[in-house]
Amino acid sequence: MIPYARQWIDDDDIQAVTEILRSDFLTQGPAIPRFEAAVAAYTGAKFAIAMSNATSSLHVGIKALAVGAGDVVWTSPNSFVASANCARYAGAEVDFVDIDPKTYNISIEALERKLESADRAGRLPKVVVAVDFAGQPCDYNALSALRSRYGFRLISDASHAIGAQYSGRRIGSGGLADITIFSFHPVKIITTAEGGMLVTDDAEIATRAELLRSHGITRNSALMRNRSAEPWEYEMLTLGFNYRLTDIQAALGSAQIGRIDRMLGRRREIAARYDRELADLPLVLPFQDASCLSALHLYPVQVRDDAPLSRRELYDALRERKIVCNVHYMPIYLQPYYAERGFSRGYCPNAEAYYERALSLPMYANLTESDQERVLEALRELLDR
Ligand SMILES: *Cc1c(COP(=O)(O)O)cnc(C)c1O
């Protein structure tokens, strides 16, 4: 079976994990700050806080920006539900901005128009969660300009995009967003099984995020309200969570980020081959912004209306050939939970039109040339008239 995504674990990864299992700390040990430092160094962020997954990192990010009941958070409908749910955890309302039909990321024009009318209505968002869909960076210069004009904070949900570059800067590096979130789920660029990270250049956000990750507790006497007399004392300063990563996972993460450029290089080769060999088929291939470098988490195509098979028929026919594609994403607001909150079909027409035709082809760093050949042969056989 050829899946749409999968992890790449090698002997170094296994050895790194085994070493932790034989060491003194399984969690809250030295492997966590080592992994955080590696991600900070790689992305160019000042502060990096490892967490149990990207969903908890998004929740902490939203809380660190003091979002609460009465606030509104906007995001892209073309994302995993976690991009929106983080706001609901904090009691805030969620709204959605349509996507750009070319990049599949949040549409800057739609965002600008929506901000203008929200400003008139006195209902501006406190936070915008932008998503680097498929690993392709959003237009951060335009987002930053709108952030300054309308005073919202920007979270980059870069769950797909560690290693991606915008104008020569790695996603997560200072100033592109207030907070950037990475996911290390096995289908993503690098993995820790479950795992995520929040990176920021803002020391105050970093301090709050670190507290929220671990029960709101600190042992740092500089942060304590009552100067601690006893060496065992800690203080709980806020209502936090247990969103920690383990040392076992962090060691796996450090081993993985050590070869991230090799993994990204393989993704680029695979994408280039798809670009070349699918060009004549009735598919819309993913747009690549020449001024950016995508991390290529996904290779999403759209099945054109003049194709001999519908998207569903193509999905089924590939599945019969043991090639299991996926679809990213049904617009979040069409999920029953959000539909029950008042959203309905037609709300973001570009996201819906994209979803009707989208198919994510197999894309992962250890997809072999012969497996990719099988995918290409199947697509030619099914789509070439
Ligand atoms: C995978 C993903 C998440 C959630 O990541 P977890 O680490 O599984 O919690 C959030 N946002 C996007 C865009 C994702 O693709």
Side-chain angles (χ1 to χ4, degrees), residues 55-101:
T55 304
S56 54
S57 310
L58 282 162
H59 184 195
V60 162
I62 281 284
K63 298 280 287 183
L65 295 175
V67 171
D71 292 326
V72 190
V73 172
W74 292 1
T75 190
S76 166
N78 185 33
S79 186
F80 184 57
V81 292
S83 305
N85 292 351
C86 56
R88 296 293 306 135
Y89 297 153
E93 289 305 319
V94 179
D95 203 348
F96 300 90
V97 183
D98 206 354
I99 60 167
D100 181 318

Side-chain angles (χ1 to χ4, degrees), residues 52-56 58 79-80 82-83 131 157 159-160 182-185 187-188 194-196 297 329:
S52 50
N53 50 59
T55 304
S56 54
L58 282 162
S79 186
F80 184 57
S83 305
V131 182
D157 180 350
S159 292
H160 299 182
F182 300 119
S183 172
F184 308 127
H185 182 280
V187 298
K188 307 289 166 75
E194 291 285 342
H297 162 55
Y329 290 94

